[in-house]
Amino acid sequence: MKRTLLVFLLLVSSIVLAQKIERTLIIKDMDTQLPLEDVTVLVAKTKQILISNKEGEVSFIVNGNSNIQLSHPSYVGMTVRPATLKQNGNIIYLKSSLNKLDELVVTRQHPQKILKSLVANSIKKFNVPARLKVYCREFFKLNGVYSYYTDGLLNFQIVGDQKKLNSTILVEQNRSFGVVEEEVSADLLGYNLNNIMENYYTFKYLAPLLDPKAKDSYYFLVRSYSENDAYYVLTATPLDNSKGLLDEFKIIYDNQKNLIIEVSSKISEISLARNSGKAVKGAKNIYMSNVKTTYRVEDTNYFLVSSKEEIGFEKMYKKETKNIEVRNYLVTTNFSNQNYTYREPQVFKDKSLINKGNSILTNYWDFSGLAATDEEQQIIAKIERKM
């Protein structure tokens, strides 16, 4: 009887282990053979969401027979069955949907009015209230040397309405390595976690384009693509005679649903060159700024799926000039319409995880939703060794 029971338990255990299998995908462009970053990967059964890194890599656990869905605003989506995946070396190729000659869209409305309509409708369609389980990662570089790193698993509870959104944060786990000088720590320019969701859900970064005077500083254009009837691309580029340090913008949107799918911006090279050499003592003299946010439409749900921010600037202090660079990532690994319950002392109210002590229960970063690249792994290990 004991022997039979033991055999039964071993059999059940082997079945459970067989159902939970680690898999890694390397996603590439079909034409260029280059790795694809920011591909959204959905494990259908568990609803886990992942984002491919710069190496095109995604790692996840297959729990049972669950299809894997791949999507990207600029590529044709694909569904992969787990039975076709090997343990290692799974290379998946996606076909670009925007690689053919783009077509100018002639509209009765000025593109700025189209953008205002997109922003208004997108804000209206966001699921609120909602809960986002998020993986957050931040790298900090001082004078060309990486000196601080932090990441964590967080739950954001988003409540409110179109006029006023609020987010409550619970930190599940987190880790931090490195030391930041007090003088520099005030200039980190990392996520302010207590208002970051409000910024993404109100499209704060598009504010310069919504200003009525933006027509005097930007050239707006709307294009469509022959292989993708649904998605249009709206671009805004600073005019040659525009003043100040201005970004150039690219907004991918669903023309049929009138929803924003992706927003990206970076400092215009022309604008940067025109303003170089105008450093101001005590100010953050920015030389690099990249922002990209991606949103997901899933049945009746519409929510933020990822963000990436990179900023570099020089600041002249009393005795010296310091070069500071910060790289932030945020990935929604699970979305839910259900509220979570909590006690007030559990709420995280600081601006950054840097201010929170380490709380590590599992190796959560291994399956965080955003796998670290080989370069990033080396940076993290180097900073950790310094500690």
Side-chain angles (χ1 to χ4, degrees), residues 104-292:
L104 180 65
V105 177
V106 178
T107 66
R108 293 182 179 179
Q109 285 186 316
H110 188 279
Q112 189 189 48
K113 285 190 175 181
I114 295 175
L115 180 59
K116 288 181 179 180
S117 173
L118 281 169
V119 169
N121 188 63
S122 297
I123 292 174
K124 181 180 178 181
K125 293 296 183 180
F126 278 129
N127 293 85
V128 178
R131 183 180 70 198
L132 306 182
K133 186 169 184 176
V134 168
Y135 174 65
C136 178
R137 172 187 294 167
E138 182 172 298
F139 292 90
F140 172 73
K141 184 190 287 187
L142 176 62
N143 294 330
V145 179
Y146 283 101
S147 55
Y148 204 94
Y149 172 81
T150 183
D151 67 14
L153 284 179
L154 297 79
N155 282 291
F156 285 83
Q157 179 67 52
I158 304 174
V159 297
D161 53 34
Q162 297 179 48
K163 294 182 180 179
K164 180 62 177 177
L165 287 176
N166 291 293
S167 59
T168 301
I169 308 170
L170 297 185
V171 179
E172 288 188 12
Q173 302 185 61
N174 69 284
R175 57 176 180 163
S176 297
F177 308 124
V179 177
V180 180
E181 306 166 26
E182 285 188 20
E183 189 178 36
V184 172
S185 61
D187 295 315
L188 283 179
L189 284 184
Y191 286 117
N192 181 345
L193 292 173
N194 278 279
N195 67 15
I196 196 66
M197 283 300 175
E198 291 92 312
N199 292 342
Y200 292 154
Y201 271 57
T202 58
F203 299 97
K204 177 184 176 182
Y205 296 103
L206 292 178
L209 300 183
L210 301 177
D211 188 316
K213 297 180 180 179
K215 293 180 183 179
D216 299 328
S217 301
Y218 284 93
Y219 174 64
F220 290 84
L221 194 65
V222 177
R223 293 184 180 276
S224 66
Y225 295 86
S226 57
E227 291 192 13
N228 193 333
D229 295 333
Y231 285 1
Y232 282 12
V233 179
L234 189 156
T235 57
T237 308
L239 297 172
D240 291 341
N241 61 350
S242 60
K243 297 179 180 180
L245 194 59
L246 302 180
D247 290 342
E248 54 187 42
F249 294 85
K250 178 181 177 183
I251 299 100
I252 299 177
Y253 65 96
D254 190 316
N255 183 56
Q256 298 170 1
K257 296 180 180 179
N258 202 32
L259 292 175
I260 293 174
I261 303 299
E262 181 181 291
V263 176
S264 57
S265 66
K266 64 178 181 178
I267 293 179
S268 163
E269 293 293 335
I270 295 176
S271 177
L272 186 62
R274 188 166 50 236
N275 287 272
S276 63
K278 298 181 181 180
V280 179
K281 188 174 182 180
K284 300 176 179 67
N285 301 293
I286 298 173
Y287 60 83
M288 175 186 70
S289 177
N290 300 301
V291 178
K292 183 176 182 180

Side-chain angles (χ1 to χ4, degrees), residues 91-110:
I91 300 179
I92 306 295
Y93 295 97
L94 295 186
K95 181 182 178 182
S96 174
S97 61
L98 307 181
N99 61 352
K100 289 195 174 180
L101 182 64
D102 51 347
E103 302 171 354
L104 180 65
V105 177
V106 178
T107 66
R108 293 182 179 179
Q109 285 186 316
H110 188 279

Side-chain angles (χ1 to χ4, degrees), residues 47-82:
K47 298 296 182 182
Q48 182 187 10
I49 300 171
L50 309 103
I51 302 292
S52 62
N53 62 20
K54 285 186 178 181
E55 297 171 348
E57 182 182 349
V58 173
S59 295
F60 54 91
I61 296 292
V62 177
N63 190 353
N65 189 24
S66 176
N67 286 341
I68 314 300
Q69 299 173 5
L70 284 68
S71 61
H72 188 286
S74 302
Y75 288 82
V76 179
M78 176 183 290
T79 297
V80 179
R81 296 185 62 83

